[in-house]
Amino acid sequence: MVYPEVIHGMFVDLRSITLDDAEFSYNIRADKRNRDTVGQLATSLEAQKDFIRWQMQEPNDYYFVVLNKKGERIGLYGVYDIHDGMAEVGREVNVGEPTERMEVGLLVADFCRDVLKLNRTCFVVYENNVHHLSDVKKNSTFVRKVIRSGHNALYFEDDLNEVSPSSRKIRQMLEKLYKKSLTLTKG
């Protein structure tokens, strides 16, 4: 499904994926740094285009391209399988700076809560994605182990109506860094 607006953040913007993003999305997911942690890869660029065509028409499925403030594509993020006040979030890959990567999660949570009016999100993280797992365990509720795309993974849930102390701290830190960057730009 196509979300018609750009979601603006302090460090990144999110916009719905288009066919013009097919090569970028195929390449970033197939990159050796990412391919073991992003799930099932398209078998070809044409297969990636087919997925984007399907996704753009699929109700309850949003797929965003992450742009830095220079307008460069640095990542992808999905919100899908929406039902009963919950959505799965994922299809995530991001090669941006730490501030950019952190803000994406906050923007997606805001989108799910404020635009889609959802109460919860869920997601899986592959056990081999050790770096991401350490961050997730601080902020989310572990529910169970699962197998996803043939890989061992951990399934987590988040209550969108309860802001964790860690999420609040991240948002405050990003706001402080953003204000500092504005001061440096003016000076």
Side-chain angles (χ1 to χ4, degrees):
M1 184 172 243
V2 174
Y3 182 65
E5 298 175 32
V6 174
I7 300 169
H8 295 284
M10 296 173 285
F11 298 97
V12 296
D13 297 321
L14 308 177
R15 66 161 171 77
S16 284
I17 198 167
T18 68
L19 285 174
D20 291 340
D21 300 307
E23 186 172 357
F24 166 76
S25 63
Y26 177 78
N27 288 339
I28 195 171
R29 291 174 55 80
D31 185 290
K32 66 182 176 183
R33 295 172 293 175
N34 305 319
R35 67 175 161 236
D36 292 334
T37 59
V38 296
Q40 192 170 359
L41 299 174
T43 56
S44 66
L45 179 56
E46 195 55 44
Q48 186 70 25
K49 288 179 184 178
D50 289 343
F51 172 78
I52 293 170
R53 283 185 198 97
W54 168 84
Q55 184 283 320
M56 291 171 71
Q57 301 301 315
E58 185 66 19
N60 299 318
D61 192 304
Y62 298 88
Y63 202 22
F64 296 103
V65 173
V66 180
L67 305 163
N68 65 18
K69 287 301 183 173
K70 295 177 188 173
E72 299 165 328
R73 295 177 286 203
I74 60 168
L76 302 166
Y77 209 106
V79 177
Y80 46 95
D81 195 20
I82 301 168
H83 62 280
D84 301 325
M86 180 185 265
E88 184 163 346
V89 295
R91 298 182 190 145
E92 177 186 9
V93 60
N94 194 324
V95 296
E97 298 296 322
T99 52
E100 295 164 336
R101 291 192 308 265
M102 285 188 280
E103 188 178 37
V104 172
L106 296 176
L107 292 174
V108 169
D110 292 348
F111 172 75
C112 289
R113 183 186 55 253
D114 301 338
V115 176
L116 300 179
K117 305 299 184 201
L118 300 174
N119 298 313
R120 299 184 70 72
T121 57
C122 64
F123 56 96
V124 298
V125 179
Y126 294 128
E127 285 185 331
N128 67 341
N129 194 346
V130 178
H131 175 70
H132 190 54
L133 268 177
S134 67
D135 291 338
V136 167
K137 288 178 179 178
K138 296 174 192 171
N139 299 314
S140 301
T141 303
F142 170 74
V143 177
R144 66 183 173 271
K145 289 188 174 193
V146 297
I147 303 291
R148 183 65 65 94
S149 301
H151 299 282
N152 291 329
L154 303 178
Y155 176 93
F156 295 88
E157 291 185 4
D158 284 332
D159 183 338
L160 295 172
N161 299 311
E162 292 182 19
V163 179
S164 72
S166 181
S167 291
R168 186 176 297 112
K169 191 175 182 178
I170 290 170
R171 192 177 299 270
Q172 290 169 343
M173 180 196 65
L174 290 174
E175 288 170 355
K176 186 183 269 187
L177 288 170
Y178 180 69
K179 287 177 184 174
K180 186 176 181 179
S181 72
L182 291 177
T183 303
L184 293 173
T185 306
K186 290 178 183 176

